[in-house]
């Protein structure tokens, strides 16, 4: 008989979620601005700087989610060999991941993000400099994105494309936006989502 008592990960879900949402907001307020300041020493074009940071955020979530899926498969394979309950195998796997998040190889994700950014046609960087200069921002985003996958339901960032219709529920407009423009010229920061519902607004620039 399977016990109906929730695992530790489920019991701590609400408090972990609150901490991670707050941490994502802190990264926007602190590490993002630090990265912006750093990039401005190499790149004079503010739009390019903001595009680089937005793509870094998108790629960080992508890399962390891929790493989480692979990590979870390995944990499930290992724990299934001796699993007998009382919790379900899925709850046991989740509990293990939450307790051992320090086993996540965040540096491998950082390297993956930088590789992806180096071949992204929308952004460019002076050839003598490497995207590794913003690795602190990338590392923090990967960490928080990985942890967000352990939530029920997991949190993710919203999909954004240049030229999309501006959404008041999804984004704040940047101060240098044309406030009468209906379309997004480019994104500054992604929205944080839970089951397609906006938890924290992102930031976008609208121009005619």
């Amino acid at each position: 008989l399977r016990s109906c008592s929730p695992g530790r990960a489920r019991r701590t879900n609400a408090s972990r979620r609150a901490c991670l949402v707050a941490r994502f907001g802190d990264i926007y307020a602190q590490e993002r601005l630090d990265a912006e300041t750093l990039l401005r020493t190499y790149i004079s074009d503010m739009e390019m700087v903001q595009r680089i940071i937005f793509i870094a955020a998108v790629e960080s979530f992508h890399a962390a989610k891929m790493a989480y899926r692979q990590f979870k498969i390995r944990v499930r394979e290992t724990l299934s060999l001796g699993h007998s309950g009382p919790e379900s195998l899925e709850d046991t796997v989740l509990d293990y991941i939450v307790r051992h998040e320090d086993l996540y190889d965040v540096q491998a994700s950082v390297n993956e993000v930088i590789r992806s950014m180096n071949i992204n046609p929308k952004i460019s960087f002076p050839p003598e400099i490497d995207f590794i200069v913003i690795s602190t921002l990338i590392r923090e985003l990967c960490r928080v994105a990985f942890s967000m996958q352990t939530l029920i339901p997991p949190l993710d960032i919203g999909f954004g494309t240049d030229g999309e219709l501006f959404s008041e529920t999804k984004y704040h407009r940047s101060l240098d936006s044309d406030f009468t423009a209906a379309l997004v010229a480019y994104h500054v920061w992604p929205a944080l989502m839970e089951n397609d519902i906006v938890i924290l607004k992102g930031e976008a620039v609208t121009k005619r």
Side-chain angles (χ1 to χ4, degrees):
L1 289 173
R2 183 189 298 171
S3 167
C4 291
S5 65
R8 182 174 176 274
R10 288 181 184 273
R11 290 196 305 273
T12 60
N13 195 72
S15 59
R16 289 187 298 110
R17 180 187 180 279
C19 288
L20 289 167
V21 170
R23 180 69 190 116
F24 187 76
D26 289 344
I27 293 172
Y28 168 76
Q30 187 60 57
E31 281 90 346
R32 176 186 69 92
L33 294 180
D34 291 345
E36 203 173 87
T37 302
L38 196 56
L39 288 173
R40 286 304 297 273
T41 62
Y42 305 107
I43 303 169
S44 57
D45 181 6
M46 188 59 174
E47 177 180 331
M48 182 56 69
V49 166
Q50 291 180 324
R51 280 182 181 274
I52 287 169
I53 290 172
F54 177 76
I55 287 169
V58 171
E59 292 293 349
S60 294
F61 265 76
H62 178 71
K65 287 192 294 181
M66 289 287 289
Y68 178 80
R69 281 197 286 271
Q70 291 161 3
F71 190 70
K72 190 175 181 181
I73 288 167
R74 291 198 303 273
V75 171
R76 188 189 290 115
E77 284 175 352
T78 303
L79 295 184
S80 64
L81 299 173
H83 180 73
S84 58
E87 293 179 357
S88 69
L89 178 59
E90 279 305 301
D91 276 358
T92 305
V93 167
L94 195 57
D95 286 354
Y96 180 92
I97 295 172
V98 168
R99 282 199 307 271
H100 297 93
E101 282 187 52
D102 56 317
L103 297 178
Y104 165 43
D105 185 357
V106 67
Q107 188 57 49
S109 290
V110 172
N111 296 342
E112 184 59 41
V113 171
I114 291 169
R115 266 197 301 274
S116 298
M117 292 176 71
N118 281 329
I119 58 171
N120 191 305
K122 286 189 176 180
I123 52 177
S124 58
F125 214 37
E128 67 276 11
I129 309 298
D130 192 273
F131 288 118
I132 202 164
V133 297
I134 56 166
S135 58
T136 299
L137 171 70
I138 294 168
R139 181 173 286 101
E140 292 309 305
L141 282 165
C142 286
R143 281 190 206 282
V144 81
F146 185 90
S147 295
M148 283 176 173
Q149 304 317 299
T150 68
L151 298 174
I152 306 164
L155 299 183
D156 201 356
I157 51 172
F159 181 72
T161 55
D162 293 352
E164 71 177 315
L165 195 63
F166 178 79
S167 166
E168 293 281 358
T169 59
K170 200 171 175 184
Y171 301 110
H172 297 290
R173 283 183 211 260
S174 288
L175 293 176
D176 55 345
S177 292
D178 178 343
F179 279 69
T180 62
L183 301 180
V184 172
Y186 64 94
H187 299 80
V188 175
W189 194 249
L192 188 64
M193 316 282 286
E194 181 182 69
N195 284 340
D196 297 325
I197 297 166
V198 177
I199 303 298
L200 284 178
K201 285 186 181 185
E203 185 179 337
V205 176
T206 53
K207 286 181 181 174
R208 289 190 178 280

